[in-house]
Structure formats: C-alpha cells, structure tokens
Amino acid sequence: MHSKSKVIITAKVHEWLPAALEKKGYEVLYEPAISYEELCEIIPDVEGLIVTTRLPIDKKCIDLASNLKWIGRLGSGMELIDVDHATSKGIQCVSSPEGNRLAVAEHALGMLLGLMRRIHSSFDEVKKGEWIRDANRGIELTGKTVGIIGFGNTGSAFAKLLEAFDVTVLAYDKYKFGFGGGYIKEANLEQIARYADVVSFHVPLTDETLYLGKEDLFKSLQQKPYIINTSRGAVIKTSALIYALEQKWITGAALDVLENENPASRSAIEKNEMEYLCNQPNVLLTPHIAGYSREAFYKLSTVLMEKLGI
C-alpha cells in the first residue's frame, strides 16, 4: 500500500483505530470536530473516510471525493450517507452495528426496569427529602409480553437479554422471517398492538420508518404499554408520544434518542415538548448514549476494520 494513502476520521474514536490504520500504512487525519465544509475541501485527496452521525456524506461530498475507496460508519444506521450514490462510484460502504448491539440492548433493558420499578422518579423524591413507598409500587417485567419492532442487531440482542425474565417476545421485522422459536414469536404490528406490555423500537431511520411511532399506532395499543426507543429520534413523532401520554394510551416512555438532539437549535415548540417530557415521572430520557459504552467504543473500531477487510 502506498504510504501516502489518507484516511479522515471525522468523530471521536478509540485510540486503537488510528493506530491500527497507521500500521496498515495509512496517513491518518484525526479530525473529530471537522465541519462539513472543511471535509469537502480535503476529501479529494482521501482514500478512506470514517464517520458517525455528525456529518452528512451526501452526493456533493461524494462527487468531490475522487480518490475515495471506502466509507466506514461507526455504529448502525446509514441514513446520513448516500450509499446508493457512493456504491455507484465503486465506493465500499460498511457499518458496524455488531460493535454496540449489546450496549444498546443493556441500555434498553436498564431504562425499562428503571421505568417499571420507578427507580429514577423515586430517587428524585428521595433527593427532596421524601420517602414515598406505596405510590412507588412497581411492576415486574417477569412474565410480561414484549413487542420488538425491528429484529436486526439490536432487536435480537435485546430479545436475548429478555430471556432471563421469562417473557414472551413478539418480534416484527418487515424484512426478516423464520427467526422465531421458543419465547420469541414472529408477529405483525397488529399483534404487538393487541398484546404487548412493552413496545421497543429497533429500526433504522428510513422513509418507511419515519414517524412509525405516531398517533394511530399509539391509539391502537390495547395494553397501555411502556414505549422504548433506542434507535433514531424521528422514528417516533414527539408530539404524538406526548399526546399518547396525556391520553394514557401508554404507561410510560424511555427515549435515548429525540427528533432534535441539539438543544441549541430547538424551536419554541420543541423546547416546550422537552419541558413536558422532563417533568413526567413516567418518562426517562438519556442523551443518545445507549450504544456508547466503553466496551462498544473499542468494539466498533475492531468490527469496522474487520468488515472493511483492511
């Protein structure tokens, strides 16, 4: 390999990754704060590109990348990369959801147990000097029915963790079949809406999944389930979720992702929505950290290198 082949890393990564690329003979440009405009300026000289969800890798950017051979996405979800256009130009595109699927699954389970057992909300009361027991009587996960929408890397990993709780998993995936067995039942959305005590979203953000969680879905939920979203914020329409909470169509919600995750750019409406959600004892929010464990931070890099064949 020519020693001057360059790779740009556009996000924070484990120190193992730049070191591994340098060992393979690449010149590594580690630019975790690079802007889209700055990337477009230097990308003509670059052979490899490593990204997360911070920057769009669109047609304009790809057309400027005359020497680009591959794009590596740390994590899952390729919605910010124009994969079709890149592929048409012979650019290899890979993601690494295997690297953080267990981290996402553990986080989803932790959020769910926190909600069902009122852990975060009762702690808020204790911090105020209150000691309330009866009103904080929780609900056990054991024996419940959990609906999983999307049975890819994170959905299947979540189901695996749930086995210890003797639950029934109703799993829906538009593009997968034949994965059911034992406590995991293949289901459609109507069956999940009818029977599930918990509904967890594990889908990529596409035209099909944009606002999959909207008012008509929430209204159809017969068991008033807990809603979990560790996938992408725009899979759930925030205003519809709030309405579902107000109408008591759902018992609670745990969200690791939001439609707008940048507090500085939120509209007045979005700020009001956040204020409402933050003030509900049956809502739990975390800042898109489900797949961000220390172990996953390393594994994402090793998986990516392996899948790129470098």
Side-chain angles (χ1 to χ4, degrees):
M1 181 183 293
H2 195 278
S3 62
K4 292 191 177 178
S5 295
K6 293 180 182 177
V7 174
I8 302 179
I9 299 176
T10 68
K12 292 179 183 177
V13 297
H14 193 279
E15 60 189 14
W16 179 90
L17 184 55
L21 286 165
E22 286 171 355
K23 281 183 181 177
K24 297 291 184 179
Y26 286 102
E27 178 185 345
V28 177
L29 307 176
Y30 184 49
E31 300 287 348
I34 194 170
S35 69
Y36 173 81
E37 292 74 19
E38 290 167 339
L39 177 62
C40 287
E41 283 181 19
I42 62 175
I43 205 167
D45 298 328
V46 170
E47 182 176 305
L49 179 60
I50 291 175
V51 299
T52 55
T53 54
R54 200 172 62 80
L55 299 173
I57 309 302
D58 54 13
K59 184 177 185 297
K60 174 191 169 184
C61 182
I62 291 166
D63 284 342
L64 290 169
S66 50
N67 292 302
L68 195 63
K69 293 184 179 178
W70 52 263
I71 300 171
R73 159 77 167 99
L74 286 165
S76 61
M78 304 287 270
E79 67 270 15
L80 290 182
I81 303 171
D82 191 335
V83 175
D84 290 341
H85 188 61
T87 304
S88 75
K89 301 191 76 169
I91 299 168
Q92 179 188 12
C93 298
V94 303
S95 60
S96 54
E98 301 88 350
N100 66 352
R101 60 189 173 192
L102 293 178
V104 174
E106 284 191 10
H107 195 86
L109 178 59
M111 293 185 89
L112 177 58
L113 291 172
L115 271 183
M116 296 183 82
R117 303 307 297 270
R118 300 175 182 263
I119 292 170
H120 72 294
S121 54
S122 62
F123 182 36
D124 285 341
E125 294 167 357
V126 171
K127 284 186 283 187
K128 296 175 192 171
E130 299 171 345
W131 195 263
I132 302 167
R133 297 187 67 213
D134 284 352
N136 284 311
R137 196 183 297 276
I139 298 167
E140 293 181 16
L141 175 57
T142 299
K144 299 294 189 293
T145 297
V146 179
I148 295 179
I149 299 176
F151 207 70
N153 280 287
T154 64
S156 58
F158 185 45
K160 185 177 180 182
L161 288 186
L162 290 169
E163 183 176 9
F165 291 88
D166 194 26
V167 300
T168 297
V169 168
L170 301 180
Y172 165 72
D173 194 304
K174 186 174 181 180
Y175 298 100
K176 286 181 74 174
F177 305 94
F179 57 80
Y183 68 103
I184 299 172
K185 318 290 184 187
E186 293 176 52
N188 56 39
L189 285 177
E190 290 75 21
Q191 290 167 321
I192 288 175
R194 184 172 181 182
Y195 297 112
D197 302 298
V198 176
V199 177
S200 190
F201 290 85
H202 298 270
V203 292
L205 181 59
T206 66
D207 290 341
E208 287 181 316
T209 62
L210 176 66
Y211 295 154
L212 179 61
K214 55 185 185 293
E215 187 173 321
D216 59 350
L217 175 67
F218 294 136
K219 192 174 183 178
S220 72
L221 300 173
Q222 295 187 27
Q223 305 302 323
K224 296 180 171 37
Y226 292 89
I227 302 296
I228 307 172
N229 188 13
T230 52
S231 59
R232 288 292 179 268
V235 168
I236 289 180
K237 189 169 181 62
T238 307
S239 59
L241 180 81
I242 289 173
Y243 189 64
L245 288 164
E246 291 173 337
Q247 298 300 310
K248 301 194 184 319
W249 294 338
I250 60 178
T251 298
L255 309 175
D256 181 56
V257 288
L258 296 169
E259 283 188 75
N260 185 354
E261 295 179 0
N262 181 4
S265 69
R266 285 183 186 136
S267 66
I269 290 174
E270 288 171 331
K271 287 177 182 176
N272 287 336
E273 289 175 342
M274 276 298 292
E275 185 177 0
Y276 175 86
L277 291 172
C278 289
N279 285 325
Q280 306 311 305
N282 58 340
V283 173
L284 184 53
L285 306 177
T286 54
H288 203 149
I289 55 171
Y292 216 53
S293 71
R294 293 178 185 273
E295 291 84 357
F297 195 48
Y298 170 70
K299 285 191 287 185
L300 287 169
S301 295
T302 60
V303 168
L304 192 65
M305 288 285 281
E306 184 179 335
K307 291 178 79 171
L308 284 168
I310 295 174

